[in-house]
Amino acid sequence: MGRQPCCDKVGLKKGPWTAEEDKKLINFILNNGQCCWRAVPKLAGLLRCGKSCRLRWTNYLRPDLKRGLLSQCEEKMVIDLHAQLGNRWSKIASHLPGRTDNEIKNHWNTHIKKKLKKMGIDPITHKPISTVTDEPQTQQQPEQLQHQKEEEQKQQQASLTDTVSEIDQSKELETEASLQSSSFTEAKEEDKSMTSPFDPMELMNGFCIDEVPIIEPHEILVQCAPSSSTSTSSSTCSNSSNLFQDLQFPDFEWPCDYNNSSNNSMGLWNDDLSSWDLLINDDGDTADFQSFSESVSKNGFGSRILGI
DNA sequence: AATCATGTCAACCGCCTAAGG
DNA sequence: GCCTTAGGCGGTTGACATGAT
């Protein structure tokens, strides 16, 4: 006897979501909030499994998602958190506002893993690959290099600490800060016990110049226009924030940052409020929604945000 | 221009865990 | 304490995009 399926899959649709399905799901959740995913497909008129709906909403339709490539800082955080937490993507994602576990997992598998391997670092153990197999060689590492490496890590720690405080200033982060701190402490401890032939400068350069796309966060995230903006294609943070708040969806917590006018990194949803107009307006024609949905879909936002 | 190889990522699958009865 | 169920998580797959030949 196998486990019962999460839902009756007979007649249920699988595969990529269509614009129409997205629209139904968004409208339903905006009107009813997130509750009982099992019931959502029926109530929303979708031929999907509840799990599928939850996944679609959580990973792609949620308004608080940030899209586009991970910034250097985010990538560093992912690497460090992965060193601490392993493949617990949801935990890692919880420290990166606007990022989903799936997104981070994919980015890890497609980008960071390769990058680390290229640098001679085992993406699983976060230790230099060569030290595992070539212990004697590591003992010959010059003391000077070791010192240099420690300096680099101090800088990295400072950098990351700044990043952390910029990204999330919640109370939970205080705990995280200690985690980060201990993380680097542990990393240092590791380095004391293991020396490696790889060049730390190369490592840092790898992150900053050669490997990571040179995209600053402000280039990825759309700047908020002044409140008096007359732009038709983009809206202010405060506007979108108000919109969401005004809707007062049950069981949905809007990140407090949306209220912070100084925070201009909301990303996707403050970028184009007209998209939301399409969503909340049932009269919006399908063609408009199609274009919106396409922008939500694969490559859409990243490309748009990056101005490609 | 056509074909093949490789990369990316959205979505699914199955297992685990917590909550409720 | 046991059973059932829903939600959540991580691993994996496969379709599509892009680059190379």
Side-chain angles (χ1 to χ4, degrees):
Chain A
M1 281 271 288
R3 182 188 171 84
Q4 268 196 327
C6 68
C7 51
D8 181 11
K9 294 185 177 177
V10 178
L12 291 187
K13 194 183 170 202
K14 287 169 67 173
W17 281 64
T18 65
E20 196 60 34
E21 286 176 313
D22 281 346
K23 186 181 181 181
K24 282 181 180 176
L25 180 58
I26 292 170
N27 279 337
F28 178 81
I29 292 178
L30 294 188
N31 289 324
N32 302 284
Q34 296 177 70
C35 64
C36 193
W37 285 110
R38 193 185 169 97
V40 166
K42 277 186 181 179
L43 297 173
L46 292 163
L47 290 173
R48 292 276 181 175
C49 148
K51 262 187 175 183
S52 183
C53 293
R54 181 180 60 82
L55 198 73
R56 183 66 182 169
W57 173 259
T58 305
N59 287 341
Y60 304 100
L61 301 177
R62 256 170 51 198
D64 57 328
L65 288 179
K66 207 188 283 182
R67 305 295 295 188
L69 287 172
L70 269 70
S71 68
Q72 290 181 33
C73 291
E74 285 176 314
E75 210 167 70
K76 283 179 184 176
M77 280 187 73
V78 170
I79 293 168
D80 185 58
L81 288 166
H82 185 272
Q84 287 290 303
L85 303 168
N87 291 359
R88 292 156 75 184
W89 305 114
S90 62
K91 294 281 182 196
I92 294 172
S94 69
H95 296 289
L96 292 157
R99 300 294 186 184
T100 69
D101 54 351
N102 208 33
E103 190 179 13
I104 291 172
K105 182 171 60 181
N106 280 334
H107 190 78
W108 176 270
N109 287 328
T110 57
H111 294 101
I112 301 177
K113 233 176 174 178
K114 284 181 201 165
K115 206 175 290 180
L116 290 177
K117 279 180 182 173
K118 204 174 174 182
M119 290 181 213
I121 299 172
D122 185 348
I124 298 170
T125 63
H126 290 260
K127 293 178 181 178
I129 294 168
S130 53
T131 59
V132 176
T133 56
D134 195 5
E135 196 66 32
Q137 196 181 4
T138 64
Q139 292 172 353
Q140 296 172 1
Q141 180 164 4
E143 197 177 318
Q144 192 177 3
L145 188 59
Q146 173 98 358
H147 178 70
Q148 191 179 19
K149 191 177 174 181
E150 287 179 8
E151 288 300 316
E152 286 294 337
Q153 288 192 336
K154 282 179 187 173
Q155 288 176 13
Q156 195 179 6
Q157 180 176 3
S159 164
L160 188 66
T161 304
D162 290 345
T163 306
V164 166
S165 58
E166 281 172 17
I167 293 176
D168 186 0
Q169 295 182 344
S170 65
K171 287 180 182 178
E172 184 186 342
L173 198 64
E174 291 178 14
T175 310
E176 183 53 29
S178 63
L179 173 65
Q180 300 298 336
S181 177
S182 66
S183 155
F184 281 97
T185 307
E186 282 184 29
K188 277 189 178 180
E189 290 298 324
E190 268 183 16
D191 284 337
K192 283 178 185 172
S193 61
M194 65 161 194
T195 54
S196 67
F198 78 92
D199 185 348
M201 289 304 289
E202 190 177 279
L203 184 151
M204 296 306 293
N205 286 339
F207 273 121
C208 298
I209 300 169
D210 296 334
E211 303 293 327
V212 179
I214 310 300
I215 302 169
E216 296 299 325
H218 71 271
E219 293 175 312
I220 296 172
L221 303 172
V222 177
Q223 297 286 334
C224 287
S227 57
S228 60
S229 169
T230 54
S231 168
T232 54
S233 61
S234 64
S235 303
T236 66
C237 285
S238 56
N239 280 348
S240 68
S241 167
N242 290 340
L243 171 68
F244 292 130
Q245 285 184 330
D246 289 346
L247 291 172
Q248 292 183 340
F249 309 119
D251 301 325
F252 194 92
E253 293 180 11
W254 299 104
C256 55
D257 279 348
Y258 289 174
N259 296 327
N260 185 354
S261 60
S262 66
N263 184 322
N264 59 1
S265 59
M266 183 177 163
L268 158 62
W269 295 90
N270 62 332
D271 176 30
D272 193 350
L273 193 60
S274 59
S275 298
W276 273 100
D277 291 340
L278 293 173
L279 295 176
I280 60 177
N281 181 5
D282 282 333
D283 296 328
D285 70 32
T286 309
D288 282 347
F289 186 79
Q290 176 74 35
S291 68
F292 161 77
S293 184
E294 280 171 0
S295 69
V296 172
S297 300
K298 196 174 177 180
N299 300 328
F301 282 115
S303 301
R304 191 162 56 92
I305 291 170
L306 292 170
I308 296 167

